[in-house]
């Protein structure tokens, strides 16, 4: 029994090290996601529905809980291990909630992205928005929200699009080329941007569930360690 409890102790310590790495990874991912989203004002509504701030906060909490759990396991402190189990159980519930929220948000992306892009096209004369839209169209190799005809009011001739729609971007390449598929990308940006978000939101949901599963194992081992400490086993 002594050897078994010693093994449990080190398993708890090992799992807490993994939690610590997961927490650090979530902080980094959250910061990168927040930076990417704030660079595009046209998709701030998406950000407000699934703020990366939540990911960052969960990452910070996991980071500190893991450190707390490592100390509790190493010192064989019943109170610290118990607190660790309670806090980690709460985090598991939050992570399952994040996974569910990610799934729900995927079904709302079409309207959110479409609305954001059309609003950006309407305000294209704003220098900041112009830069964002141009960068987006070059990045996704697209034009407009649904298709290139979304730029119908871009030019008085009703047949021009921004130069960023062109396959080979040059000055005035979009003049009179709204329906010329050999010069411009006629596909809209909505579908590409939606797929990009769905892919990343899916990964967030999957990551949350995987981490929650690992944490459940950690809770099981921590409970076993608590039981051993309470019964007075020598685990060193």
């Amino acid at each position: 029994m002594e050897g078994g409890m010693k093994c449990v102790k080190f398993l708890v310590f090992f799992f807490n090290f993994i939690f610590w790495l997961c927490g650090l990874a979530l902080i980094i991912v959250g910061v990168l996601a927040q930076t990417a989203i704030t660079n595009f004002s046209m998709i701030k509504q998406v950000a407000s529905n699934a703020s990366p701030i939540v990911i960052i906060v969960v990452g910070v909490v996991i980071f500190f809980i893991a450190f707390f759990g490592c100390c509790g396991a190493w010192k064989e402190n019943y109170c610290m291990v118990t607190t660790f189990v309670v806090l980690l159980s709460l985090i598991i519930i939050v992570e399952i909630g994040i996974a569910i929220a990610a799934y729900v948000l995927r079904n709302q992306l079409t309207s959110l992205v479409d609305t954001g892009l059309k609003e950006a096209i309407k305000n294209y004369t704003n220098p900041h928005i112009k830069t964002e839209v141009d960068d987006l169209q070059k990045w996704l190799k697209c034009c407009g929200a649904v298709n290139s005809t979304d730029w119908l009011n871009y030019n008085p001739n009703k047949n021009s699009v921004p130069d960023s729609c062109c396959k080979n971007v040059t000055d005035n390449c979009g003049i009179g080329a709204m329906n010329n598929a050999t010069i411009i990308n006629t596909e809209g940006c909505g579908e590409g941007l939606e797929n990009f978000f769905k892919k990343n939101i899916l990964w967030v949901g999957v990551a949350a569930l995987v981490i929650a599963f690992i944490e459940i194992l950690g809770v099981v081992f921590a409970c076993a360690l608590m039981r051993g400490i309470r019964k007075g086993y020598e685990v060193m």
Side-chain angles (χ1 to χ4, degrees), residues 92-103:
I92 292 172
I93 295 173
V94 171
E95 286 170 346
I96 293 175
I98 289 176
I100 294 173
Y103 178 78

Side-chain angles (χ1 to χ4, degrees), residues 8 17 25 80 84 100 106 117 121 140 176 190 202 209-210 231:
V8 169
F17 179 69
M80 291 180 71
F84 163 74
I100 294 173
R106 290 181 80 243
L117 287 174
I121 291 173
L140 293 176
L202 177 62
L209 288 177
V210 169
K231 289 187 175 182

Side-chain angles (χ1 to χ4, degrees), residues 99 102-103 106 109 195-209:
Y103 178 78
R106 290 181 80 243
L109 279 176
N195 289 335
F196 172 78
F197 274 120
K198 281 185 175 180
K199 179 181 177 181
N200 285 276
I201 289 175
L202 177 62
W203 279 113
V204 169
V206 170
L209 288 177

Side-chain angles (χ1 to χ4, degrees), residues 91-171:
I91 288 296
I92 292 172
I93 295 173
V94 171
E95 286 170 346
I96 293 175
I98 289 176
I100 294 173
Y103 178 78
V104 172
L105 181 63
R106 290 181 80 243
N107 299 324
Q108 301 176 352
L109 279 176
T110 301
S111 60
L112 290 174
V113 170
D114 187 56
T115 300
L117 287 174
K118 287 183 176 179
E119 187 67 24
I121 291 173
K122 185 189 300 183
N123 297 296
Y124 188 72
T125 52
N126 182 309
H128 179 65
I129 292 179
K130 179 180 184 301
T131 300
E132 290 184 358
V133 173
D134 287 341
D135 288 344
L136 181 67
Q137 292 189 145
K138 291 175 184 177
W139 172 45
L140 293 176
K141 299 186 184 303
C142 58
C143 188
V146 179
N147 53 52
S148 57
T149 59
D150 288 323
W151 292 106
L152 192 64
N153 297 316
Y154 169 69
N155 190 288
N157 65 20
K158 303 291 184 179
N159 193 37
S160 298
V161 295
D163 294 340
S164 56
C165 285
C166 298
K167 294 179 179 180
N168 296 307
V169 180
T170 56
D171 290 339

Side-chain angles (χ1 to χ4, degrees), residues 166-168 177 179-186:
C166 298
K167 294 179 179 180
N168 296 307
N179 299 305
N180 192 335
T182 60
I183 297 178
I184 68 167
N185 300 297
T186 56

